Each structure stands twice: as structure tokens, then as C-alpha cells.
């Protein structure tokens, strides 16, 4: 601007067209820079909001599932035909030594994944014995998987530090000496292996707009026999 004033040389006749054009050009550059900064700040704030929403949604879901699974005494069923999509277990909430199917606080719970609605669902019987299913996570769950493990480490056939239900089911025939199957060797996670499951790994992904967040947690069942 000092340069523009010098061009006027004390003339009170106003700015020339060249001066106005230069001024407008400079102001356009400043405005563009400010606009870019504001847009960038708004996008950063939106990204932070989406991440916070995802983390809060996931935290609520994980805390609820983990709290109940940790207290579970048994896994009684898994999804069929895909065992990674649901788990049914019993929790003796009232401490009477049995798993009640109808109670004020239901003790037979099923968590499952509905790929159509992209929701994690909880199913439990109410006091009348009617099964009620409701979503526990309002966000878009794009992926969901459960894996089942055991603390029977003598069946860790590949020595990777993890005993899977597949290892329980098949045993370790190639080991020396061979380890017989603890399950029923039918290639299905069922009543042959379920009594020995005492750990569940949960993997899922949540979407909020274009933002995707992945979550993973291992839940050890402290009351499993």
C-alpha cells in the first residue's frame, strides 16, 4: 500500500485503474489464503468430531460386551453356519448358581451381527420369556468378527501362543507324542469344543461418513470352568 501511495505522488485525484487493479489482485490473494485456512480448519474440526463419535460409539459397545462376557460361565452357542457372527453365553448375574432364561436381569445373552442393517444386536428373554432383540450400536458397523480361544495351551499345535477352537477340535496328530483331540474332530465349533472356550476376541469396524475406525479386543471369561 505504501508503494501505491508513492505512485500517487501527492495527487488528490484518486487511484488510477492500474492501482485499483493491483489492489484488487492483492486483496484476492489475501482472501483466497484466508478462505483456504478456514476451510482447512473446518475440515480438521469435522475429522476430529467423526473420530470422537466413532471412539465413543465403539467404547460403549466394547465395554458392554466385554463386561458381560468377562462374567460369563459358559459359551453355549455360536452363529450357524458362521461362528464369527454371533455368540450366546450364560451369566449368573443374581448368584443363585443357575443360568435363568427369564429374569429381571436376563442371564442368557446373544450378541450377533446383522450385515443387512450393519448393527450389533443383543438378544435376551424378558420376564415373560419372550426374546427381545435390539441394537447396541447406532453407528454403521461395516465389519464384525468373533474368534474363540482356550487356555488349554497343550493343544497349541503350531506353538504360536494361541489355542484356537480348531486346535481343540482336531488335536495335534503330528506332535510327538500325538495329542488327541479335545473336541469331536468334526470341523465345527459346537458342543465338543464350547465347554473349553474361555476367551473371545472381538474385531469390528465402524463408519461415520467416510471415516472408518477399526477396533480389536480380547475378552477373557473369568468365571469359565
Amino acid at each position: 500500500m505504501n508503494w501505491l501511495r508513492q505512485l500517487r505522488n501527492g495527487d488528490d485525484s484518486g487511484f488510477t485503474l492500474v492501482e485499483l487493479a493491483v489492489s484488487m489482485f492483492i486483496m484476492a490473494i489475501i482472501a483466497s489464503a484466508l478462505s483456504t485456512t478456514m476451510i482447512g480448519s473446518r475440515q480438521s474440526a469435522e475429522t476430529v468430531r467423526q473420530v470422537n463419535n466413532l471412539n465413543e460409539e465403539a467404547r460403549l459397545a466394547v465395554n458392554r460386551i466385554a463386561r458381560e462376557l468377562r462374567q460369563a460361565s459358559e459359551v453355549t452357542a455360536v452363529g450357524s453356519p458362521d461362528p464369527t457372527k454371533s455368540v450366546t453365553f450364560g451369566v449368573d448375574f443374581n448368584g443363585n448358581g443357575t443360568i435363568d432364561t427369564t429374569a429381571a436381569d436376563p442371564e442368557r445373552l446373544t450378541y450377533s451381527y446383522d450385515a443387512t442393517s450393519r448393527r450389533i444386536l443383543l438378544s435376551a428373554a424378558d420376564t415373560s420369556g419372550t426374546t427381545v432383540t435390539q441394537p447396541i450400536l447406532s453407528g454403521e458397523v461395516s465389519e464384525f468378527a468373533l474368534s474363540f480361544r482356550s487356555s488349554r495351551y497343550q493343544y497349541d499345535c503350531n506353538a504360536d501362543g494361541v489355542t484356537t477352537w480348531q486346535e481343540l477340535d482336531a488335536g495335534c496328530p503330528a506332535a510327538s507324542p500325538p495329542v488327541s483331540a479335545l473336541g469331536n474332530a468334526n470341523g465345527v465349533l459346537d458342543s465338543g469344543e464350547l465347554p473349553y472356550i474361555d476367551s473371545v476376541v472381538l474385531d469390528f469396524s465402524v463408519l461415520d461418513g467416510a471415516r472408518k475406525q477399526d477396533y480389536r479386543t480380547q475378552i477373557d471369561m473369568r468365571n469359565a470352568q
Side-chain angles (χ1 to χ4, degrees), residues 87-177:
V87 57
T88 300
F89 56 95
V91 185
D92 184 15
F93 286 122
N94 57 17
N96 67 354
T98 62
I99 303 300
D100 301 316
T101 56
T102 59
D105 194 353
E107 298 183 342
R108 182 78 63 192
L109 308 174
T110 297
Y111 283 100
S112 61
Y113 176 60
D114 181 7
T116 301
S117 63
R118 292 188 171 187
R119 295 291 186 268
I120 298 176
L121 307 176
L122 169 62
S123 299
D126 61 16
T127 53
S128 68
T130 303
T131 299
V132 178
T133 299
Q134 60 183 0
I136 67 163
L137 191 62
S138 60
E140 289 280 322
V141 179
S142 60
E143 299 171 21
F144 182 90
L146 297 165
S147 55
F148 301 92
R149 300 176 176 179
S150 174
S151 59
R152 306 292 181 101
Y153 295 113
Q154 64 269 36
Y155 292 90
D156 179 17
C157 303
N158 59 6
D160 64 351
V162 174
T163 302
T164 65
W165 72 262
Q166 291 91 340
E167 290 172 318
L168 294 175
D169 180 61
C172 309
S176 181

Side-chain angles (χ1 to χ4, degrees), residues 75-79 86-89 148 194:
V75 172
T76 58
V78 295
S86 77
V87 57
T88 300
F89 56 95
F148 301 92
L194 288 176

Side-chain angles (χ1 to χ4, degrees), residues 14-144:
F15 291 105
T16 66
L17 289 177
V18 173
E19 292 171 343
L20 288 173
V22 171
S23 298
M24 292 174 64
F25 177 73
I26 294 174
M27 293 303 295
I29 292 176
I30 295 174
S32 177
L34 290 175
S35 176
T36 300
T37 301
M38 291 177 64
I39 292 174
S41 298
R42 186 164 58 248
Q43 290 176 339
S44 297
E46 178 64 15
T47 297
V48 171
R49 183 196 68 80
Q50 289 182 348
V51 170
N52 287 340
N53 285 346
L54 291 174
N55 286 331
E56 182 64 15
E57 288 275 0
R59 184 185 66 80
L60 292 174
V62 168
N63 284 351
R64 179 167 186 169
I65 296 173
R67 180 178 66 249
E68 291 167 347
L69 259 175
R70 285 195 185 101
Q71 299 179 70
S73 58
E74 58 182 0
V75 172
T76 58
V78 295
S80 178
D82 188 348
T84 69
K85 300 307 178 187
S86 77
V87 57
T88 300
F89 56 95
V91 185
D92 184 15
F93 286 122
N94 57 17
N96 67 354
T98 62
I99 303 300
D100 301 316
T101 56
T102 59
D105 194 353
E107 298 183 342
R108 182 78 63 192
L109 308 174
T110 297
Y111 283 100
S112 61
Y113 176 60
D114 181 7
T116 301
S117 63
R118 292 188 171 187
R119 295 291 186 268
I120 298 176
L121 307 176
L122 169 62
S123 299
D126 61 16
T127 53
S128 68
T130 303
T131 299
V132 178
T133 299
Q134 60 183 0
I136 67 163
L137 191 62
S138 60
E140 289 280 322
V141 179
S142 60
E143 299 171 21
F144 182 90

Side-chain angles (χ1 to χ4, degrees), residues 159-198:
D160 64 351
V162 174
T163 302
T164 65
W165 72 262
Q166 291 91 340
E167 290 172 318
L168 294 175
D169 180 61
C172 309
S176 181
V179 178
S180 300
L182 189 60
N184 49 20
N186 65 352
V188 178
L189 177 54
D190 54 20
S191 59
E193 301 77 42
L194 288 176
Y196 308 104
I197 298 299
D198 52 24

